[in-house]
Every structure is written in structure tokens, then in C-alpha cells.
Amino acid sequence: MKGRKSSASKFDRKEFDQRTLSAAVNLIVYGCHVQKYNKSNRKPISRLYYLYEEDMDYLQYLHAGRPFAQCRIPLLDIIELREIPTTESFQNLPYSRTLQITFASKKHTILFNTKNERDLFWQGLQYFIDVAEHNLIRDIKSTNDNPNIEQITLKQIKGMLPQLSITKQELKNLFNQYDLERKGYISSSDYQDLLKRLMNQDFVRFLFDRYAIQQMNKSEFTKFLTNEQCPYQKQCEDAFRLFAKQDGNNFSLSFLEFLNYLLSTYNQLFDYQKTQIYQSEDYPLTDYWINSSHNTYLMGDQLTSESSIQAYINAFQKGCRCVELDCWDGDNNQPIIYHGFTMTSKISFESVIQTIKEYGFKYSKYPLILSLEVHCCVKQQDVMADILKTYLNDNLLLLPDDYKSSEYYPKLNKLYQKVIIKHRGKMKSSLQYRERFISITPINIIPPAFEESDSPDVVKRPSLSIQIDQQLNTPTTLKPKSQKAFKRQDHGLPLNQYKNTINLYQIDEEMKPNKIIHKTKTETTLRPKYKILNIETQFQFDAPNPRCQMVQTPLKVDSDEDISIDKAKKEKAESLKMSSITALFGAAIKQQIRTVWEISSLDESKVNENLLEFHRKYFTRIYPSGSRVDSSNYDPIPAFNSGSQIVALNFQTNDMPMLLNMCKFMENGGIESGYVLKPQWMRSEGKKKINEFTTIQLSFSLSLLVGYNLRQLNNQNAKVNPQIKISIRGLQQDEQNNKPQIATISQNGLNPQFNFIYKYNIRCPDLAFLVFEVLDANKTFLGWSAIPLSCISYGYRAVQLLSQYLKPLPKSCLLVHVQKH
């Protein structure tokens, strides 16, 4: 079984070699002296951080002014590990030696002595976080399995805490109800009674006794799975091997081990087989939903929050395959990324592309779309294109020469490791530019030889020519820095090395280029389809100034079109370099004549189910309304229902829309994919429409049986009255015909027994979600989960509840029974 990659760190367990892991574990176990910083006090404080060895569930630190028990961080409460953000508070710290630990609503910012020490501590901490997350429910080796033990102590029972879902104080109070004489132990029969009260296991015990007596052997366990769970044969064998206990030559399950299986990750309501990559990849990219992010660079709101490359790393660790870059002009001709005209911080475009190069295909081999919102001048757009080609050149998908005849976008299995640039460029310019300036060899330029003069500021008119043997490689302007030598900007060839020239400023007749360079004071553009007749007036030498200047003089040309600079500005002039590497071109949704290489962007308010036919062949990207300055998300269900491929959400906001998005893309590989194949009727060959779902396609009943450890994350000891809300999301008629159901239990969050049964009739199960929300009676959040109906498993299943940060809640789940009719 593949472990879940935590979103808490950029390190993965699979990267740990044994030597590094050993050093990392030793460092965090024995402790590390660091400097702790906070915003209210710029002066650092020396601290010792180490792993609390009693149960390995806490990161402990020493603080002279606080009780020992209050100076610890529960590992399962850690939300994120990262280098510090580049903000004013920490701008002078060496970020490569820093680590920021975010847990609950707090942050610890610490500085290590060396980068290597930081990395080892980070890896060691991540390792123990992963261990804690993968052991949310541990095997119980209960003293119940040993009939020779007559006396059972409180310490022995504490070993069952992860399974029993109870605090130490609650367990102690319950233990004292049996240990009336305070002897420190209870009898085996009292222990059985205590265990029954804790587990609220009447129904589960009945289920166990139906198939076994005291111990369940392999054949009995297989019979239970076959009759109740309908699993794959290999899944039966794996489950028994993992949970059974060996007694001599025999393997069997006790009741507690059976319960341990029922609540484990091997028995989740979300079908384990469908969390693996299983769908066909032999379809056009338009036939898939793509896990997509909006304003990916932001860590918070749209007005004042931090822009960070860590936000891109976080998105990739959540399976995102379409990220957004808002590009603006920066200083020193270096483009930047931020939310324009706001107080959000700025990061360089190049640093983001470097991060994409490193992390873009670290978790998934499938194509990555870069959605560029470009506000840069043409000059800096050219810089962007150069950066993209420098870092991603081998990965870039280019527009094919026969793009007009393409019936569908390329298939998913043809696009492994490909980067698709989405930009508003022009397809025609893309091919023309590539033809003239990319797929050819550099030019050979024969420069004028200047005659030296006594005066450094005077140069005589040259009597020589430029001979061009090949076609131009990159548009540029000749601006020599001295009278002795000058360089061509694009490839830096020294021009004073060439001699023996011939005719004055002649271009070889065999060349006959159809484009020439036209330089103005502001920018360089290209005039397409020119035939050069005479370019003698292109160069002008004005003594005593020795510099060679390009001047705007009349050109004798035959032109099919004339694009003025003013007109280009009005139309947000596009860089031809950028167009040449673009593979998804922006187009208005109303554009009638279009190719499959174009994409339309729509505000959330413009989404409707009538776009389904359009989406069978063409792309759209749906994005949040501009009024969502708090980075809240819109409901993605209507966009999914319309067939839109790119439903972009604010990944930094953990709300219900983000929960639905995350659970949708758990299917077909989770973060290892990021692509989910649409149902057949929604794909390019399909013809069915949304309004044609008039009959019931799926009927099933769901029994809510028992809850475990339904508690407030920040107040574990608070008494709760859990309220379970179960609802259907999907087509509007399915939501209307299956109203949300609510079950409430008073004064019991430890192990409430519900025994509620709900029946559902679904017209379009392909688009439906089953959503669980767990709240206290006062609406305090306790947990939630969502599962696509196409991915549910039938039988007795566990529903792992997630925190408000969309991470698994330790020991918190629901036990349900789902039966198909």
C-alpha cells in the first residue's frame, strides 16, 4: 500500500536513504539547540527541541517559564513545515538554515547552526509525523488474548489508547470506577466490562459472533469479507496477513483485532482500488478533469498576503497539475509575480520556474499546465520566454505545424513530463516566429571595419558591407559600444573579427526573408511577410558620434499587413517569443471559429450545464470571482457538471469547495496523477445531455452505526453533542430529491452509537458526492469527509474524518454500512 505523502514538508519518506534517516532520527531524538524567533521580540531565544520519548507523539522543547507538559507540540497537530517567508520580520535571517513549524493556530520559527543540521532535523521530524499519520489506528495486543493474566493495571490499558479513542484522564476515571480499593489493578472480568463500555461494541460484537467463536480463522474471515464486503481476493489475503495474530502454526483474529481491521485504512468507504492509477490514458486531454489552482503563488488573501514559492510546492503536494502565474514588470528587466495593484509581496518569475522545474514532476508524471496571466511589456515577456526555455526547454509542448487540422488535443499518454504554456498569444505568430528564429542556425555577420582617428569621438564612414549567409536567429538591434568592436545582442558574436567584405549592405538573394526587424524607441516588433528590396537607409552614421544607431527611416517593402506600435499597445502587444512556446491560446468563449489549441476563461458566475457540448472538444478554465478578496472558493460542483476541464480553486483556503476538489482527485492516483477521466457520456464521443437523466440509476441505503473520538481539535476535553450531517452533492435534481439527513447524540463524543438508516435514489451517480459533516450542537467543527459515489465500497466501512486543514484526524472516524439495492 502506498503511503500518503504529507503536505507538511518538501521531504518525502521515499527520499530517505538509511544513513541519512538514521542521522536524522538520532538528531531529533537526542535534541538540537536552536535559536527561536518571534515577531513580538526580535531577539532570539535559545531552545532545545527534541522528541518526547515516552510515546513519540510530541515534539518537546524546554522553556524555563512554563510547565514541562505545556512545552510540547503534538506531531499530528503540525500543519506545515517550511522555510521562513521572506517578510520584513525575518528578512535578515539566512532562510536556508530556518524552519517554521505551523501547528493549530501557532508558529515556531527557529534558526539552526547549519543548513545540513536544519535538513536532518526537518527530515527526522517529518519521519515521525509520517509514522504517527500511518498509525492512526494501531494493532492492539490486548491482555484479553492472554488468559493467564488475572490482574490488569492502568498502564497496560493505556497501550490501547489509539484504538479506544479516549483521553488519559477519562480512562483513569473509568478505571477507578472498577478499582474501588485503589489497588492499582482490576480483574480480567472487570477489564472485559470496561472494554465493552469503551468500545460501545454491541453491534460489532454481534457481527463478529455471526462468523466466529472467540477467534476468527482465515476461512471465517474470508467468508465475512465475501458475504459482507465483496473485496478483491488479494485484498482479503493482505488484510488477514496484516491484522491476524499467530498462535503456533495458526493465524487468527481476536475480536479487538477484527475491530481494528474494520476501522483501518484497509476498510475505508473510499474504494482503495480506485485511489490507485487505474483509468485509461488513451483519450484527449479535454476528456479529463484536471486538478487546478487559482492565484497559486498566494499563501493567504488577495490583498495583503505573502507570495511564495512554497505555495507552488504545497499545490504540487496536493496533486495540482495546473498552476497560475500573474506576471508583471519588475526591476532590472526581471519579471515578477504578485497580485497586481495590491499589497501582496512579490517573488521573481525565475524563482517560480526554478521551483516548477524541481517539483513540477516530482509527484506526478502527467502534463503540467502553466496558466500565465501576463501584464508585462514585450521586452520582459521575451525575458520570460528565455527563462522558460532555459529551465523547461525539453519539457515544453509546442504548437504543431498542422494545428488547424487537429481534431482533438493530444492524448494524455502522449504528454508525460510535458509543460503546457497557457497564454493569450497568437497561433499564427507562433509558427512564423519559430520558423524564422528558433529552428535555424545563427547568422554570420561581416561587420564594417572602422578606421581609427586621432579623436576618440570621431569615426570615418566605413566602406564595407554586411554579408548574411543564413537566416536571422533572433530579432535584435546592433548597438556597438565602441568604434573598434561591437556585439550582436542575441548571441554575442564579436564583429571585428570579420574582414574582406563585398557589396554594401546587401542580403544574399538566395535568402529572401519574409520578415525584417523594425526598431522604435519603445519596443521591437516584426512585420510579417515582407520582401526586402533595399535596406541602405537602415543604418546611419553621424559623426562625430561613433555609435551605430538604428533609425526609423522609410522602408521599401511589400506588406500584407501593417501593425502600428500604437495599435499593438492597445491590443496588449504580445511577445512573439512567448507565442512560439505556447500550446494553449486564449480565446473568447463567443468565438465561433476556433481550434482545439484554444482555451476560454470564465468567471464562476458564467458556468452552466449548457456548456457540456462545448467541453466535449474544447477547453475552459473556471476561476473565482474578483470579489473573493479573502481567497474563499466557489462551489466547484456546477463547473464539474458542465464538463469544464480546469476548475481553478484557491488551494490556500481549506473550505468545503476545497474538500470536494481534494476528494474528487483522490480517485485515479491522488497526487500521483491529478487527472480524472470523465464518464463516457461526457467525453468527446458522448452525446448524452444533463437533462436526459430522468430515471434512477443507483439506489442504496446507508446505515450510520458508530462514531469514534468525535472531539474538538483544540479542546480535546470539551464535552460534545455530535451532530452528523449526511448530504448528496451533484446534479440539482439529485440534491433536491435527497435532502440532507442529520443525526444527533447527546453528551457522547467518545463513542456515540447512532443506528440511523438513510435511503438514496440517484439519477447521475457519475457526478454525485456523499458528504459527511460532523459538528457540535453549538456548530463547532469536529470533522468532515467527502467521497465520489463512483468510488464508494459497499459493506461495513470506516469513514476517516478530516480536520479543517484537510488532514486526517487522529483516531476519529465513523463506522457505516452501505448496501446497494
Side-chain angles (χ1 to χ4, degrees):
M1 174 179 177
K2 297 182 180 179
R4 184 181 69 86
K5 292 183 176 67
S6 172
S7 61
S9 172
K10 68 180 182 181
F11 294 103
D12 299 308
R13 292 186 65 186
K14 66 180 181 181
E15 294 180 353
F16 296 164
D17 59 78
Q18 193 60 38
R19 181 178 300 177
T20 303
L21 178 58
S22 177
V25 169
N26 284 336
L27 179 65
I28 196 170
V29 168
Y30 288 104
C32 185
H33 287 278
V34 299
Q35 300 293 316
K36 181 180 180 295
Y37 286 78
N38 58 61
K39 292 184 179 180
S40 60
N41 182 7
R42 299 293 180 88
K43 186 178 179 180
I45 304 171
S46 180
R47 288 276 187 268
L48 175 66
Y49 283 78
Y50 62 95
L51 192 71
Y52 185 54
E53 292 188 61
E54 181 176 322
D55 52 15
M56 299 290 188
D57 285 340
Y58 298 93
L59 180 64
Q60 184 75 47
Y61 59 94
L62 300 183
H63 191 299
R66 292 184 184 176
F68 182 78
Q70 294 182 12
C71 299
R72 59 181 57 165
I73 304 172
L75 297 184
L76 289 173
D77 286 356
I78 294 177
I79 302 167
E80 182 181 48
L81 302 177
R82 58 176 294 196
E83 291 175 349
I84 62 169
T86 53
T87 60
E88 287 188 14
S89 303
F90 307 113
Q91 61 183 353
N92 295 323
L93 294 183
Y95 70 92
S96 62
R97 290 162 44 201
T98 62
L99 176 63
Q100 189 172 80
I101 305 173
T102 303
F103 61 100
S105 58
K106 301 178 182 179
K107 293 181 180 180
H108 280 207
T109 302
I110 53 183
L111 176 68
F112 292 80
N113 296 319
T114 64
K115 180 180 184 299
N116 182 60
E117 185 180 65
R118 189 284 304 267
D119 288 350
L120 285 176
F121 187 89
W122 192 338
Q123 289 183 338
L125 182 55
Q126 181 61 54
Y127 171 77
F128 284 105
I129 291 174
D130 288 347
V131 169
E133 289 180 344
H134 286 85
N135 290 281
L136 296 176
I137 301 173
R138 303 172 185 172
D139 289 341
I140 297 177
K141 303 305 180 184
S142 171
T143 54
N144 179 60
D145 296 326
N146 191 342
N148 297 323
I149 296 180
E150 296 292 339
Q151 299 174 348
I152 303 170
T153 65
L154 178 61
K155 185 176 181 179
Q156 290 174 309
I157 300 176
K158 283 182 178 180
M160 292 180 286
L161 279 177
Q163 180 66 48
L164 300 180
S165 307
I166 184 174
T167 65
K168 294 180 180 180
Q169 187 59 45
E170 287 176 328
L171 180 61
K172 183 177 180 179
N173 294 338
L174 187 58
F175 183 87
N176 288 336
Q177 293 180 22
Y178 293 91
D179 184 20
L180 299 177
E181 298 180 5
R182 299 299 185 267
K183 295 179 181 179
Y185 60 86
I186 60 177
S187 66
S188 179
S189 59
D190 287 341
Y191 165 72
Q192 293 291 333
D193 189 53
L194 179 148
L195 192 61
K196 182 177 179 180
R197 290 177 60 182
L198 284 175
M199 300 307 295
N200 198 0
Q201 42 97 26
D202 291 345
F203 177 80
V204 181
R205 185 79 210 196
F206 172 78
L207 185 63
F208 179 83
D209 291 341
R210 187 190 302 175
Y211 292 92
I213 301 176
Q214 293 186 347
Q215 297 289 320
M216 181 179 286
N217 59 36
K218 184 176 180 179
S219 62
E220 292 169 337
F221 182 67
T222 303
K223 184 178 180 181
F224 159 75
L225 294 179
T226 304
N227 293 346
E228 307 288 353
Q229 312 293 80
C230 301
Y232 301 95
Q233 181 62 32
K234 186 176 185 303
Q235 190 176 357
C236 295
E237 296 174 357
D238 290 345
F240 187 79
R241 176 174 51 83
L242 288 172
F243 293 92
K245 189 182 75 170
Q246 186 173 6
D247 183 12
N249 295 326
N250 299 320
F251 288 85
S252 61
L253 293 171
S254 67
F255 166 72
L256 291 178
E257 288 161 345
F258 175 73
L259 178 61
N260 190 23
Y261 160 75
L262 285 181
L263 302 181
S264 73
T265 55
Y266 274 82
N267 191 50
Q268 291 293 305
L269 184 59
F270 201 118
D271 187 352
Y272 170 73
Q273 298 295 327
K274 292 191 175 181
T275 64
Q276 311 303 302
I277 297 176
Y278 75 97
Q279 292 179 336
S280 172
E281 301 170 3
D282 197 32
Y283 288 93
L285 206 63
T286 48
D287 283 345
Y288 296 83
W289 286 298
I290 305 170
N291 198 357
S292 307
S293 166
H294 175 70
N295 286 355
T296 314
Y297 50 89
L298 289 179
M299 299 293 289
D301 64 62
Q302 311 280 308
L303 299 178
T304 62
S305 68
E306 174 196 356
S307 302
S308 172
I309 61 173
Q310 183 66 40
Y312 288 90
I313 297 174
N314 294 345
F316 292 138
Q317 291 175 336
K318 294 177 182 177
C320 183
R321 303 315 294 157
C322 177
V323 296
E324 185 177 24
L325 297 82
D326 283 0
C327 309
W328 298 80
D329 288 336
D331 297 333
N332 302 318
N333 200 33
Q334 290 300 311
I336 58 174
I337 292 178
Y338 85 114
H339 202 229
F341 307 109
T342 67
M343 297 174 66
T344 56
S345 61
K346 303 172 182 178
I347 52 179
S348 72
F349 177 81
E350 185 171 9
S351 68
V352 172
I353 300 305
Q354 284 178 318
T355 302
I356 290 171
K357 171 70 174 177
E358 182 177 358
Y359 290 94
F361 297 101
K362 187 173 185 179
Y363 308 105
S364 172
K365 67 180 179 181
Y366 296 98
L368 174 63
I369 300 173
L370 305 187
S371 179
L372 303 184
E373 186 174 327
V374 180
H375 306 272
C376 300
C377 65
V378 171
K379 186 177 181 180
Q380 293 209 20
Q381 288 183 50
D382 287 345
V383 174
M384 289 170 54
D386 291 338
I387 291 172
L388 286 165
K389 287 189 286 186
T390 298
Y391 289 98
L392 304 172
N393 188 57
D394 294 337
N395 301 100
L396 292 174
L397 178 68
L398 300 180
L399 188 70
D401 294 339
D402 59 347
Y403 72 92
K404 290 184 179 180
S405 61
S406 300
E407 186 177 0
Y408 297 106
Y409 208 80
K411 296 180 179 180
L412 181 61
N413 55 12
K414 304 297 182 183
L415 297 174
Y416 294 159
Q417 305 284 330
K418 284 298 182 182
V419 174
I420 301 172
I421 303 298
K422 171 190 168 293
H423 175 53
R424 65 173 180 246
K426 299 175 181 178
M427 286 185 288
K428 184 177 180 180
S429 301
S430 172
L431 294 182
Q432 290 177 344
Y433 186 90
R434 285 215 309 273
E435 180 184 353
R436 293 299 171 189
F437 300 104
I438 292 182
S439 60
I440 53 179
T441 55
I443 66 170
N444 291 324
I445 300 179
I446 299 178
F450 292 92
E451 297 180 13
E452 295 192 21
S453 170
D454 295 335
S455 172
D457 294 328
V458 178
V459 63
K460 296 181 180 180
R461 185 181 182 91
S463 57
L464 42 84
S465 66
I466 296 177
Q467 178 180 351
I468 301 179
D469 297 327
Q470 299 173 342
Q471 296 181 358
L472 294 175
N473 183 45
T474 306
T476 187
T477 302
L478 302 180
K479 291 188 176 181
K481 294 186 177 180
S482 74
Q483 70 271 29
K484 293 185 177 182
F486 59 92
K487 294 184 177 182
R488 184 178 168 88
Q489 244 180 356
D490 54 349
H491 51 66
L493 292 175
L495 301 184
N496 64 345
Q497 57 181 311
Y498 300 99
K499 304 288 183 180
N500 304 322
T501 59
I502 50 176
N503 298 330
L504 181 64
Y505 301 124
Q506 288 291 325
I507 295 180
D508 193 340
E509 281 296 315
E510 294 180 0
M511 174 187 163
K512 295 183 180 179
N514 62 7
K515 294 183 182 180
I516 64 170
I517 303 166
H518 185 63
K519 178 71 178 179
T520 71
K521 293 182 179 180
T522 56
E523 56 188 277
T524 299
T525 60
L526 296 179
R527 296 176 180 266
K529 298 183 181 178
Y530 283 120
K531 295 180 181 178
I532 300 179
L533 303 180
N534 189 340
I535 62 169
E536 282 191 8
T537 57
Q538 277 295 95
F539 292 87
Q540 177 175 315
F541 296 83
D542 295 324
N545 186 353
R547 298 185 181 276
C548 173
Q549 298 288 342
M550 296 286 283
V551 296
Q552 188 174 356
T553 56
L555 297 175
K556 300 176 182 179
V557 298
D558 295 330
S559 174
D560 292 335
E561 54 180 320
D562 186 5
I563 304 176
S564 69
I565 298 301
D566 291 337
K567 182 178 179 182
K569 283 183 177 179
K570 288 182 180 180
E571 297 178 352
K572 297 182 179 180
E574 302 297 337
S575 161
L576 299 184
K577 275 190 178 183
M578 280 301 303
S579 292
S580 70
I581 59 174
T582 300
L584 268 179
F585 294 83
I589 190 68
K590 295 181 180 179
Q591 180 176 314
Q592 296 295 323
I593 301 176
R594 64 195 302 141
T595 71
V596 296
W597 301 90
E598 292 173 288
I599 182 172
S600 297
S601 295
L602 298 177
D603 179 275
E604 60 178 274
S605 62
K606 298 179 181 179
V607 176
N608 62 75
E609 296 173 351
N610 296 327
L611 291 171
L612 177 59
E613 195 64 33
F614 178 88
H615 288 140
R616 296 190 198 277
K617 189 173 182 179
Y618 302 112
F619 282 106
T620 65
R621 177 182 181 269
I622 313 301
Y623 60 89
S625 169
S627 62
R628 295 184 180 274
V629 294
D630 58 349
S631 291
S632 60
N633 283 309
Y634 58 94
D635 182 5
I637 297 296
F640 289 143
N641 293 352
S642 74
S644 177
Q645 299 84 2
I646 302 176
V647 181
L649 299 179
N650 290 303
F651 270 44
Q652 69 271 34
T653 303
N654 297 313
D655 49 14
M656 177 59 74
M658 194 60 204
L659 170 70
L660 294 170
N661 186 80
M662 186 191 80
C663 293
K664 183 175 190 64
F665 288 99
M666 281 178 63
E667 183 180 5
N668 196 42
I671 70 169
E672 295 180 356
S673 171
Y675 285 80
V676 173
L677 183 65
K678 299 180 195 175
Q680 187 277 332
W681 59 270
M682 294 186 78
R683 299 199 290 264
S684 50
E685 72 273 16
K687 297 181 179 180
K688 195 168 185 177
K689 298 181 179 179
I690 293 290
N691 56 16
E692 295 179 12
F693 287 93
T694 56
T695 59
I696 303 301
Q697 303 292 320
L698 173 67
S699 294
F700 69 96
S701 61
L702 184 143
S703 301
L704 177 61
L705 304 175
V706 186
Y708 291 97
N709 198 32
L710 309 181
R711 299 179 179 278
Q712 299 178 22
L713 182 60
N714 297 324
N715 188 2
Q716 292 284 320
N717 294 319
K719 292 190 178 297
V720 299
N721 302 301
Q723 191 176 83
I724 316 295
K725 178 182 178 182
I726 305 176
S727 55
I728 294 291
R729 296 299 317 278
L731 291 189
Q732 187 174 0
Q733 53 264 45
D734 281 334
E735 294 184 11
Q736 293 174 348
N737 296 335
N738 298 274
K739 300 296 183 181
Q741 305 290 336
I742 298 177
T744 303
I745 295 293
S746 299
Q747 296 294 313
N748 186 2
L750 173 63
N751 48 15
Q753 187 164 339
F754 295 94
N755 294 328
F756 286 88
I757 300 178
Y758 310 111
K759 294 183 179 180
Y760 297 96
N761 297 307
I762 309 297
R763 297 183 182 185
C764 185
D766 292 328
L767 299 178
F769 288 81
L770 187 62
V771 181
F772 298 84
E773 297 175 79
V774 186
L775 304 173
D776 196 356
N778 60 6
K779 304 305 178 184
T780 303
F781 177 89
L782 301 180
W784 55 7
S785 185
I787 302 167
L789 276 189
S790 59
C791 297
I792 63 172
S793 298
Y794 295 98
Y796 295 94
R797 301 291 177 177
V799 179
Q800 173 64 61
L801 296 178
L802 306 177
S803 70
Q804 59 264 52
Y805 306 110
L806 303 182
K807 295 184 65 178
L809 277 169
K811 317 155 196 174
S812 185
C813 62
L814 304 173
L815 184 62
V816 301
H817 180 256
V818 183
Q819 185 176 3
K820 187 176 181 179
H821 300 298

